[in-house]
Amino acid sequence: QVQLAESGGGSVQAGGSLKLSCVVSGYAFNNCAMAWFRQAPGKEREWVGSISRFDSRGYADSVKGRFTIARDNTKATMYLQMDNLKTEDTAVYYCQATCLMLSTPYWGQGTQVTVSS
C-alpha cells in the first residue's frame, strides 16, 4: 500500500521560508508523478505544483517564482521549498502521488503552514 507522509510545516512571518518534505513508501517512488496541493480554511483544495517522473515541473501562477519543487528518488522524497511566503499561503499542504499501474492517486495527511504578517 502506498503511503505518503508530509513534514516541515510550521509558522513563519511573511517574507520567510519553509521547506516541506513528502516521503513515499510502499511503492517504487521513481514510478510516481508527484504534486503538492493546499487547502486554506473555507476554500477548496488547489493545485500548487507538480514534478513528473522525469523531473518536468509546473507551478500555479500564485506561487511561480517563489516555490520550488524537487525530488530525490534515492530517498523516495519530494520537497517543496517555499520562499518569500505571503499570508495568503497559509493552508494545509498535501502531497499527492500518481503512480504507474495504480488506478487512483494517493494523498498524505497534510501539514499546516501558517504565515503571519
Side-chain angles (χ1 to χ4, degrees), residues 44-117:
E44 292 191 355
R45 191 172 296 190
E46 65 173 1
W47 174 74
V48 174
S50 301
I51 185 165
S52 74
R53 295 187 295 124
F54 308 106
D55 252 9
S56 176
R57 307 168 202 192
Y59 300 94
D61 287 343
S62 59
V63 307
K64 201 172 293 182
R66 300 188 297 120
F67 289 11
T68 303
I69 295 176
R71 64 188 294 159
D72 185 339
N73 289 345
T74 66
K75 297 181 179 179
T77 302
M78 173 180 64
Y79 303 97
L80 180 65
Q81 176 67 45
M82 304 185 293
D83 298 317
N84 190 21
L85 282 160
K86 304 177 180 181
T87 55
E88 52 264 42
D89 294 319
T90 294
V92 177
Y93 284 71
Y94 298 90
C95 62
Q96 182 202 58
T98 304
C99 305
L100 294 178
M101 305 301 290
L102 298 181
S103 58
T104 60
Y106 287 80
W107 294 88
Q109 81 288 350
T111 186
Q112 176 71 47
V113 171
T114 302
V115 184
S116 58
S117 58

